[in-house]
Amino acid sequence: DGTSSGKREKHPEACMDRATFACSTAFFRDFGNSAPGALPGGHVDFIDKVDSFTYSDFFRDYLIPNHPCIFSAKFTEDWGSRKTWVTWDGKPNFEHLLQKFGEAVVPVANCDVKEYNSNPKEQLPFKEFEDVYTTPVYFSSDWLNEYWDAVAVDDFRFVYMGPKGSWITTRSPGVVEDTISINHNWVNGCNVAVMWCFLQDELAAVQREISQWKDPMDDWHLQCQLIMKSCTGIDYKEFYNFLKVIAENRISILEKGLDEESSSQNNSKAAISTLGMLHAVFDLKRTVKVLSSLSANEDFRKLDLSSLSPSPEALLQHLESAIDTALL
């Protein structure tokens, strides 16, 4: 279990056009930070054809309103993992995997033990990985992995392999048969406000749980942040740094562009560039919205913000200036 070896798919339509930019602007003006509601009857669209389904279609109809959809197998038919990792009847080809990757070191979870809301892992050999999947163009705007790639700590792309009865996360049901699951978790400007609301709810839950210690504990608010981070993987100051990395990458694209060498690389900045100027502006506008809320948040303001560079106020000013300049 555990690899982030997917390549980013190149696609000429991975760009926000003016119609989609106008649609996204109107949506967040009308609905603010909330989606208009679930689809009737819990309906989830099935997207069959790749050629007729553009990035703009996905962004407008699913990302902006935060609606789920399912891609057909046609979207992944060129993945190497679909050709070599499974047998003719679709079952995991563990014999091939052991021969190919036997010495690679991967995290293996003990599903019978739970520690701090997750399963403990140990590093065991499973050979080195090759490129086994291509990230679909529709996931090009990926703030979550863009940030974690930048800080070089971890990422949220992984391959799960496990026998019948094991599970991918502690909150998911056990798999019903031997399974290989390629996972790519991501956040972007369409739902970053939802992420911020989630963090506020998580902190409030922690504060309620240890409220009896508020008066006798001098650093109670710091302990709340620490506990929240142990549960969610992020606290308020790191969330600020997350927004800062996203913002500065887009400001760099708007102000300096991307040189030819960087454009040819398979990294986050190259992906941002292919999405176009309007997408960068959209991302900055969403960042301003959430960063403004974070900066005004009482719990955030209780923290020592002197270590943050630039300051939230200075970053906000830079963002607003970059947006104004780009829209001239």
Side-chain angles (χ1 to χ4, degrees):
D1 152 276
T3 178
S4 56
S5 56
K7 287 184 178 178
R8 185 172 286 105
E9 184 180 87
K10 303 291 185 182
H11 198 291
E13 295 175 342
C15 182
M16 178 179 284
D17 54 35
R18 289 194 173 275
T20 306
F21 180 75
C23 176
S24 63
T25 301
F27 176 90
F28 286 108
R29 182 183 63 238
D30 295 339
F31 291 102
N33 293 330
S34 60
L39 295 175
H43 175 76
V44 176
D45 288 344
F46 181 79
I47 313 300
D48 181 43
K49 297 181 179 180
V50 180
D51 295 340
S52 60
F53 189 65
T54 67
Y55 178 80
S56 291
D57 293 333
F58 182 64
F59 196 91
R60 181 187 62 249
D61 297 337
Y62 300 98
L63 279 184
I64 292 176
N66 203 27
H67 286 162
C69 66
I70 298 175
F71 290 172
S72 73
K74 296 175 184 176
F75 286 78
T76 60
E77 61 186 5
D78 293 331
W79 288 9
S81 53
R82 285 194 55 191
K83 300 173 182 177
T84 60
W85 284 24
V86 292
T87 59
W88 64 270
D89 56 353
K91 294 183 178 180
N93 190 345
F94 288 121
E95 182 177 348
H96 165 79
L97 292 168
L98 285 171
Q99 291 176 352
K100 187 73 176 177
F101 309 121
E103 297 303 322
V105 176
V106 298
V108 178
N110 183 346
C111 294
D112 293 326
V113 179
K114 187 175 180 180
E115 294 179 356
Y116 301 105
N117 206 33
S118 64
N119 303 112
K121 299 178 179 65
E122 59 178 319
Q123 302 293 321
L124 296 176
F126 194 65
K127 279 238 189 264
E128 60 185 89
F129 284 93
E130 61 184 11
D131 293 315
V132 296
Y133 73 96
T134 301
T135 304
V137 63
Y138 313 102
F139 309 149
S140 297
S141 180
D142 178 2
W143 294 17
L144 191 62
N145 292 296
E146 178 183 342
Y147 171 71
W148 289 109
D149 286 347
V151 298
V153 174
D154 201 350
D155 62 54
F156 287 81
R157 300 166 296 224
F158 64 95
V159 174
Y160 170 83
M161 300 180 187
K164 177 181 178 180
S166 61
W167 51 84
I168 298 175
T169 70
T170 55
R171 298 181 181 180
S172 65
V175 297
V176 296
E177 57 186 352
D178 293 350
T179 297
I180 297 175
S181 173
I182 296 176
N183 299 266
H184 186 118
N185 301 293
W186 91 112
V187 170
N188 60 32
C190 295
N191 59 356
V192 66
V194 177
M195 179 182 178
W196 169 227
C197 289
F198 166 76
L199 290 177
Q200 292 175 82
D201 290 343
E202 287 294 298
L203 181 61
V206 170
Q207 291 171 336
R208 287 193 298 270
E209 286 293 321
I210 63 170
S211 58
Q212 69 269 30
W213 301 105
K214 185 173 183 178
D215 292 332
M217 189 180 295
D218 292 336
D219 60 348
W220 180 81
H221 65 289
L222 294 178
Q223 292 301 317
C224 290
Q225 292 283 327
L226 181 63
I227 294 171
M228 179 185 70
K229 185 171 184 177
S230 71
C231 296
T232 65
I234 192 170
D235 58 18
Y236 277 14
K237 288 177 73 172
E238 184 156 34
F239 184 61
Y240 169 81
N241 286 324
F242 165 76
L243 295 174
K244 182 188 77 168
V245 167
I246 300 304
E248 290 181 342
N249 282 347
R250 280 141 190 82
I251 289 173
S252 176
I253 296 297
L254 290 177
E255 294 182 347
K256 304 175 185 177
L258 195 68
D259 58 64
E260 187 174 338
E261 180 180 353
S262 299
S263 299
S264 64
Q265 295 178 359
N266 182 39
N267 57 30
S268 298
K269 282 196 174 182
I272 299 165
S273 178
T274 62
L275 292 172
M277 185 197 75
L278 290 177
H279 209 306
V281 173
F282 167 80
D283 287 353
L284 289 180
K285 291 177 74 172
R286 299 306 302 150
T287 305
V288 165
K289 183 75 173 180
V290 174
L291 182 57
S292 297
S293 177
L294 174 65
S295 298
N297 181 271
E298 181 180 349
D299 291 304
F300 180 68
R301 297 180 71 86
K302 288 179 181 177
L303 303 174
D304 178 10
L305 305 181
S306 61
S307 62
L308 300 181
S309 179
S311 68
E313 294 77 13
L315 180 58
L316 269 172
Q317 289 181 352
H318 195 179
L319 291 178
E320 291 167 347
S321 175
I323 292 171
D324 291 342
T325 301
L327 293 177
L328 288 177

